[in-house]
Amino acid sequence: MPERTESESRKLLRRLRDTLATTGGGQDRLDRITHLIADSMGTEVCSIYLFRDPETLELCATEGLRPESVHQTRMKLGEGLVGRVARTGLPVNTANAPQEKGFRYMPETGEEIYSSFLGVPIQRVGEKLGVLVVQSRTAREFSEDEIYALEVVAMVLAEMTELGVFNGDADGMRALHKQPVMIRGGTGQEGAAEGRVWLHEPRVVVTNPVADDPLTEIDRIREAVGKLRVSVDDLLSAESLDKDQKAVLEAYRMFANSRGWLRRMEEDIQRGLSAEAAVEKEQSAARARLEQVPDAYLRERLHDLDDLSNRLLRILTGQGSDTGAAMPENPVLVARNIGPAELLEYGRKLKGVVLEEGSVGSHAAIVARALAIPLVIHADRITTEALNGDQILVDGDQGIVHLRPEETVARAFRDKIAMQAAAQQRYASLRGLPAQSKCGTVTTLMMNAGLMADLPSLDGSGAEGVGLFRTELQFLVRNKMPQRAELAALYARVMDAAHGKRVAFRTLDIGSDKVLPYMKPQDEPNPAMGWRAIRVGLDKPGVLRMQLQALIRAAKGRPLTVMFPFITELSEFQTARAMVMGELHREKSLGHPVPARVEIGAMLETPSLAYAPRTFFELTDFVSIGGNDLKQFFFAADRENERVRRRYDTLNVSFLRFLSQIIARCAETGTPLSFCGEDAGRPVEALAFAALGLRGLSMRPASIGPVKALLRRVDLTEARAVIDAAMEGGAETVRPALMDWLAAQPE
Ligand code: PEP
Ligand code: MG
C-alpha cells in the first residue's frame, strides 16, 4: 500500500474523529461527515443510509444528492444497489450504475447524473447498521485502494453508530438496542418467564476506533495475537479433549497463526484504525464472506473465527467475561451456546435461557429441563440484539422471545404467567389426592429427575416417586469420570431426600447425543441408533459395574430400583440383570450391606422389545416405556430434528395400537408397566395412555398437577370407548374425537 494513501486515510479518519468530537446533534454530525468524505475521496456525492427497521434503509445524510430526499428516500433490504450492499455485507463497485443488475433509480434524489457508484456496508460483527455510498459523474471504477479506504471509514462509522453518536429524531437515527424485538426460535423447555438479560459473554465495547500512532497499535496487536496463540496452544494441550473440541481448537490455531489475518489487521491499522477496530473490521468482513458460503462446515468455521476474534478483543481491551456488572434480578441468560457445566453453575437463579444455537437434545437443554427453566433455542440474532439488563420475555411453550417488549405485549405475557401460576395453585390443592378417575381407576403419577436439586419437587408436586432418574448429568458435567464413592454419596442423598418413595435409577444412557467429554467419541453416522446406552454398558462393562456398585452402596440396605435404558432384546436384559446379581454377590462377600429388595427393570425404547420372548416379560420386574426414543424409532422421525420431530401425532392410531400391544403383553405376565417419555406429562396424551390401560406415568414435576386434574375429571372407560370408536371409524389420529369429547365433560 503506498505510503501516500495510508497517511491520507489516517488524515481522513482523524478529521472524522475531530468532527465527531465536536458538539452538535446526530444529524449535524452525519452532514459534516458526508461532506468530509466526499471532499476527501474527490467524489461529488457521499451518502449515509441507516436502517430504520431491520428490513428498511433510510437515506440519513447526503452531500451531493437533493437535500429534500434525506429521510424521505427508503429502500428495502436487497432493493437496488444500496439494498444489495446491505443484504450481502459486501461492497458494490461499478463505473456504470444504471447498467448494473438490480439498479433502482430514485428520482427524488437526482442521482441519475451520477455514473460511478461505490457502496460499502456499515456493519459491526454480525450487526448490519447501514450503507456508505460515494458516487461521481465520470464513469470510472473505484480502485482497490479506494474501496479499502471507504471500508475503513465505514468501520469507524459503525463503531460510532453503536456508541450512539448519530442518534437523532429520524427513524433511521433512533438509538440502537432500544426498539422492541420479537424473535421466533424453537422450544427447548416449556414454561414462561419475565426477566432481565444477562449475557453469558457480554459484548466488547470499542470506544477508540481511530488511533494516531500506528506503530503503537501494531505492537499492541502483535502482542495480543502472541498471547492468543499461547492460550490456544495451552487449550490444545489439555488432556481431556474430545475429537470435536480438538477439531475446533485446531481451527482456532490455524486462524491464530494465519499470516493473512494479522497482515490485514496491520494494514487496517496503517490506515488509521485502532487495533480493536481492526479486529472487528476483519471479523465483519470474514462474516460477510462466509455467510455467502452454503457449505455448513465452512459456516461452522465462521463461528470459530468469531470466537477467536472475540478472544482477541478481550485480550486487547482487558474486558473479560466478568465485566464487574452485577447480575440483574430475575436474570435470563442469553448466549450463543452454553455447556452443561456452565449452565448448572448458574443453576436455578436463572428465570430463563435463550440460545442463538442449541438443540433439543443438547446437554444445555437437558440441564435446562432438569432445572425446569424455560429455554428457547435457535433465537436468531439474540446475542447481537440484547444488551445486559434489557427487559426480556421468554415463551418456552411457543419458542418465542420478546426483547424490550411494548407494554401491551408485556402485560398480555404477565397475564399468561399469572394464569399459569393460578393453575399451579389449583393443582396444589390436589397434591395429597390420588389420580383417581370417575370410573375408580387410579393412575400412579411419578416424576422424572436428574439432579439432587429436583428432589424437593417430590413433595411439592405430590409425585408418588421418581419414575425415571436420569444418571447422565453427573457424568456429563464433569471433565473426568466420577468416582464410585462420589456417585454412591450422591445416590444416597437422592434416596434420603425421597424419604422412602421409590426412585427408579436409570443406568447411564450415553452415546447418541450425550457424549462424555472424557470418553473417546465415536464417529457414527446415526448415533441415536448407534453405540449407546446399554450397548456401551455391556461392551465396556467397567463403568456400568462401577455405577451398580455405587447404587448398591448408596442403598445401605434400603430397597433399590434399577432400570436399564435402550434394551432391545432379551439377552441384553439377561446379561445386564446378571451384572446386578454379580455385583450384589460381590458386595455381600465383601461384607457390605445389600438392599432389602432389588427391582430390576427395562426401558422399552425400541419396537423390537415389544415382541421379545415371553421370558423377557417374566424376567423383568417392570417395564418403562421411553416414549421419546420409542416414538422416534416407530415413526422413523429423529427426535432432535426440528423439521420432523413434531410431524407425527402421539395419538396416531398406529402408535396407540402399538402401545395397546405392549400393555397386553405386560398384562399376560403381570409385569408392571409405566411410561416415562415427555408425552406422559401432556394431559391429553396422558389421558389416552391411561384409557388404554397404562397405570404408571412419569413426567416433569410441573406436569403432575395438570395431568392429575384432568384424570380426576373423566371416566376412563368412556374415554376408551371414544378412542376405540375413532379407531374403528378409520381416523388417523384419535385427537379430534378425544378433544370433542373432553370439551363436553363437566369441569
Ligand atoms: C425416552 O427416551 O423417552 C426417555 C425417557 O429417555 P431419554 O429422553 O433420556 O432418552
Ligand atoms: Mg431414551
Side-chain angles (χ1 to χ4, degrees):
M1 198 189 321
E3 180 50 37
R4 200 182 65 82
T5 21
E6 270 178 33
S7 55
E8 275 185 5
S9 173
R10 274 211 298 278
K11 215 158 45 192
L12 170 60
L13 289 196
R14 240 191 332 262
R15 284 172 69 194
L16 199 64
R17 187 186 54 190
D18 295 344
T19 307
L20 295 171
T22 57
T23 49
Q27 186 66 53
D28 204 36
R29 288 188 173 127
L30 281 182
D31 291 343
R32 275 186 282 155
I33 288 171
T34 49
H35 176 77
L36 193 70
I37 297 172
D39 179 44
S40 155
M41 300 274 298
T43 56
E44 284 104 348
V45 176
C46 173
S47 310
I48 293 174
Y49 298 81
L50 296 174
F51 278 99
R52 69 193 308 268
D53 61 57
E55 291 298 316
T56 324
L57 287 148
E58 177 176 312
L59 175 64
C60 286
T62 186
E63 168 78 17
L65 297 184
R66 288 199 191 119
E68 57 272 26
S69 57
V70 171
H71 300 306
Q72 301 305 318
T73 294
R74 287 173 194 161
M75 63 264 308
K76 290 273 166 220
L77 189 64
E79 185 187 358
L81 300 186
V82 173
R84 195 210 296 176
V85 174
R87 201 195 56 221
T88 60
L90 298 171
V92 169
N93 176 17
T94 171
N96 196 342
Q99 295 287 306
E100 191 70 19
K101 193 164 162 268
F103 173 78
R104 201 175 144 254
Y105 167 50
M106 302 282 185
E108 71 279 12
T109 61
E111 66 178 337
E112 65 277 13
I113 53 173
Y114 302 107
S115 180
S116 338
F117 174 104
L118 170 61
V120 298
I122 302 173
Q123 60 189 353
R124 187 182 180 267
V125 216
E127 192 172 16
K128 295 179 169 168
L129 302 167
V131 176
L132 172 63
V133 175
V134 288
Q135 290 170 283
S136 66
R137 274 176 204 257
T138 42
R140 65 167 182 113
E141 280 216 5
F142 290 89
S143 67
E144 283 294 314
D145 218 47
E146 285 169 311
I147 302 175
Y148 189 51
L150 201 63
E151 282 179 335
V152 169
V153 171
M155 180 65 218
V156 175
L157 294 185
E159 293 300 338
M160 295 302 183
T161 311
E162 179 77 23
L163 290 175
V165 171
F166 306 130
N167 289 354
D169 296 334
D171 282 349
M173 294 164 61
R174 274 189 305 218
L176 295 171
H177 308 292
K178 292 275 189 276
Q179 304 303 312
V181 179
M182 194 261 259
I183 298 176
R184 210 173 271 283
T187 296
Q189 158 73 17
E190 285 142 12
E194 175 177 6
R196 298 273 162 190
V197 169
W198 180 249
L199 288 166
H200 183 50
E201 292 213 314
R203 294 157 74 92
V204 173
V205 186
V206 176
T207 47
N208 60 337
V210 181
D212 291 323
D213 180 2
L215 292 181
T216 311
E217 294 302 300
I218 285 179
D219 280 349
R220 288 182 65 222
I221 195 104
R222 286 188 183 162
E223 192 188 324
V225 168
K227 281 189 189 158
L228 180 73
R229 287 177 182 158
V230 172
S231 75
V232 173
D233 286 344
D234 283 352
L235 286 173
L236 256 171
S237 62
E239 275 166 21
S240 56
L241 294 176
D242 68 29
K243 205 176 89 233
D244 289 343
Q245 289 168 321
K246 247 202 181 102
V248 168
L249 287 172
E250 292 287 359
Y252 279 10
R253 175 146 74 180
M254 193 187 77
F255 285 124
N257 286 296
S258 145
R259 290 237 200 97
W261 189 43
L262 183 58
R263 196 197 60 232
R264 280 193 302 278
M265 291 191 288
E266 289 187 1
E267 282 173 9
D268 297 334
I269 290 173
Q270 295 285 12
R271 293 280 186 166
L273 290 186
S274 65
E276 290 85 344
V279 177
E280 286 204 340
K281 179 175 175 295
E282 292 315 314
Q283 194 176 3
S284 297
R287 245 181 196 250
R289 277 195 302 274
L290 274 172
E291 265 166 18
Q292 308 292 314
V293 179
D295 183 89
Y297 173 79
L298 282 176
R299 278 203 314 271
E300 216 19 67
R301 299 287 74 81
L302 164 74
H303 282 324
D304 299 342
L305 185 59
D306 260 3
D307 278 344
L308 204 67
S309 304
N310 288 335
R311 277 168 195 257
L312 190 55
L313 277 174
R314 288 186 199 291
I315 295 174
L316 277 168
T317 58
Q319 297 172 22
S321 299
D322 181 8
T323 56
M327 191 182 262
E329 265 186 43
N330 301 324
V332 169
L333 187 78
V334 171
R336 209 178 80 207
N337 225 337
I338 188 168
E342 288 167 306
L343 187 52
L344 209 53
E345 224 165 85
Y346 283 110
R348 281 187 206 273
K349 60 177 170 259
L350 296 178
K351 287 282 167 233
V353 180
V354 181
L355 300 180
E356 202 155 302
E357 299 178 351
S359 74
V360 190
S362 65
H363 300 166
I366 295 168
V367 174
R369 236 166 274 152
L371 295 170
I373 300 172
L375 165 69
V376 171
I377 52 174
H378 303 151
D380 212 18
R381 300 191 337 275
I382 186 73
T383 56
T384 324
E385 293 282 359
L387 291 185
N388 263 344
D390 279 348
Q391 191 188 2
I392 187 167
L393 311 175
V394 185
D395 185 341
D397 304 328
Q398 309 284 332
I400 291 176
V401 177
H402 297 275
L403 190 62
R404 303 179 288 266
E406 307 267 11
E407 192 42 39
T408 45
V409 175
R411 225 176 294 131
F413 195 81
R414 272 175 217 137
D415 286 348
K416 178 177 162 162
I417 296 181
M419 266 164 61
Q420 286 180 350
Q424 286 299 342
Q425 281 274 316
R426 281 203 308 281
Y427 301 141
S429 65
L430 302 177
R431 201 180 300 153
L433 302 173
Q436 184 166 22
S437 301
K438 292 238 172 89
C439 49
T441 307
V442 177
T443 310
T444 305
L445 304 186
M446 296 160 287
M447 67 174 233
N448 295 345
L451 291 172
M452 186 56 213
D454 293 327
L455 268 295
S457 302
L458 199 49
D459 286 337
S461 66
E464 291 180 49
V466 177
L468 165 67
F469 189 93
R470 291 182 168 101
T471 59
E472 294 81 62
L473 274 172
Q474 291 73 41
F475 287 79
L476 283 172
V477 297
R478 286 179 167 72
N479 48 21
K480 62 183 192 348
M481 183 74 77
Q483 304 282 309
R484 180 178 57 195
E486 263 177 277
L487 287 181
L490 175 96
Y491 299 151
R493 275 191 287 133
V494 170
M495 289 184 216
D496 293 346
H499 300 301
K501 284 185 178 169
R502 177 178 177 269
V503 180
F505 287 94
R506 195 260 305 268
T507 63
L508 194 56
D509 181 0
I510 48 152
S512 184
D513 56 309
K514 302 162 195 153
V515 181
L516 298 186
Y518 42 86
M519 258 174 97
K520 197 162 153 265
Q522 307 297 313
D523 205 359
E524 295 184 303
N526 278 309
M529 295 195 272
W531 197 57
R532 59 174 283 200
I534 196 65
R535 298 173 184 178
V536 180
L538 296 181
D539 293 356
K540 295 242 179 275
V543 179
L544 182 52
R545 270 213 185 101
M546 182 271 279
Q547 195 182 19
L548 292 173
Q549 288 160 10
L551 284 166
I552 294 168
R553 290 188 186 184
K556 297 183 200 127
R558 292 173 285 193
L560 174 67
T561 305
V562 179
M563 70 180 176
F564 292 109
F566 217 64
I567 296 285
T568 301
E569 57 178 14
L570 165 65
S571 60
E572 282 175 345
F573 184 68
Q574 284 169 325
T575 316
R577 190 174 179 280
M579 270 170 81
V580 182
M581 296 306 174
E583 293 313 320
L584 284 170
H585 182 74
R586 182 173 168 276
E587 288 297 300
K588 211 175 194 168
S589 61
L590 288 172
H592 296 155
V594 291
R597 191 159 32 84
V598 183
E599 269 187 297
I600 308 170
M603 284 185 76
L604 194 157
E605 306 191 85
T606 58
S608 65
L609 196 64
Y611 305 101
R614 185 182 166 96
T615 334
F616 162 72
F617 293 94
E618 285 167 351
L619 188 64
T620 186
D621 291 322
F622 65 94
V623 170
S624 184
I625 297 176
N628 305 335
D629 273 310
L630 186 63
K631 242 171 71 183
Q632 81 166 337
F633 297 115
F634 189 76
F635 289 113
D638 187 342
R639 64 191 266 192
E640 280 181 49
N641 181 338
E642 277 301 321
R643 269 209 155 132
V644 298
R645 71 187 195 97
R646 284 183 237 254
R647 193 179 173 99
Y648 305 101
D649 190 355
T650 305
L651 301 189
N652 179 303
V653 294
S654 309
F655 191 60
L656 296 189
R657 284 204 170 97
F658 180 50
L659 287 183
S660 298
Q661 287 186 353
I662 300 171
I663 293 166
R665 291 219 65 192
C666 286
E668 272 173 32
T669 47
T671 312
L673 174 66
S674 58
F675 189 110
C676 66
E678 298 301 319
D679 284 319
R682 305 197 167 103
V684 179
E685 278 80 341
L687 161 64
F689 297 162
L692 290 181
L694 264 159
R695 292 291 161 260
L697 301 172
S698 191
M699 61 198 76
R700 291 190 296 133
S703 300
I704 290 189
V707 167
K708 191 188 278 185
L710 183 61
L711 289 180
R712 286 176 59 86
R713 244 179 77 199
V714 296
D715 182 318
L716 293 180
T717 329
E718 280 180 32
R720 176 65 190 252
V722 172
I723 293 174
D724 286 347
M727 280 186 171
E728 276 153 31
E732 183 169 79
T733 158
V734 307
R735 190 176 299 274
L738 206 52
M739 295 304 284
D740 283 351
W741 172 78
L742 260 181
Q745 299 306 299
E747 269 302 319

